[in-house]
Amino acid sequence: MMMKKLFVLLGIFAFAVTACDGGSNVKAEMAQMSVAVNKLSDAASAQEFHQAAASLREASVQSMNKKPSKIKTDEEFKDYQAGMQQFIEALDRADKLADENLDEAKKATQRLFELKAEYHRLYK
């Protein structure tokens, strides 16, 4: 009986933490994005690059539609979304290059790091 109450309380606590976040927890997508960016750099083939790019794009789109907790105004959120859109566009350009020249595609990912540094500083 005591264990059942403990599990119920833990479940309520977990739900409350999730609910308080309001769906704005971008950390999971950002962690996924970091892993995928590293995979882009480590890709040994165009196929590996495309797989990492697809994963990164998916996480980026999800991230773009969630408001980080640091953002307080609609204007900041629009700026954040514009930065994410730039990131996605740079990713798409690099992904297209992978079929032609993997090394050039990897060089093109430098723009991703620049955008990440710029917007991460603002909205982390």
Side-chain angles (χ1 to χ4, degrees):
M1 185 71 135
M2 185 70 150
M3 288 298 276
K4 185 176 179 180
K5 285 183 182 181
L6 179 63
F7 285 125
V8 169
L9 287 174
L10 286 173
I12 291 170
F13 176 74
F15 177 77
V17 168
T18 303
C20 288
D21 187 37
S24 66
N25 185 358
V26 182
K27 289 181 183 179
E29 285 82 11
M30 292 296 174
Q32 185 180 356
M33 288 171 67
S34 291
V35 169
V37 168
N38 290 336
K39 286 183 180 181
L40 287 175
S41 299
D42 296 339
S45 68
Q47 182 179 1
E48 285 181 22
F49 193 94
H50 293 312
Q51 288 172 340
S55 176
L56 180 55
R57 191 176 206 294
E58 181 181 331
S60 299
V61 169
Q62 290 176 7
S63 207
M64 184 171 81
N65 294 311
K66 293 181 181 178
K67 187 187 291 187
S69 58
K70 187 174 180 181
I71 292 177
K72 302 300 180 206
T73 67
D74 288 342
E75 187 176 308
E76 287 177 332
F77 187 48
K78 286 178 185 177
D79 183 58
Y80 165 79
Q81 289 180 311
M84 289 302 300
Q85 185 61 45
Q86 287 179 50
F87 187 91
I88 292 166
E89 289 168 2
L91 172 63
D92 289 346
R93 283 191 296 275
D95 194 28
K96 285 181 183 177
L97 282 172
D99 286 325
E100 299 168 23
N101 188 323
L102 185 58
D103 289 333
E104 288 299 315
K106 288 180 180 184
K107 287 179 187 174
T109 62
Q110 182 58 38
R111 180 67 180 139
L112 301 177
F113 290 104
E114 292 167 1
L115 288 165
K116 178 184 173 188
E118 178 182 345
Y119 283 92
H120 199 241
R121 180 177 36 84
L122 293 172
Y123 300 117
K124 178 181 177 185

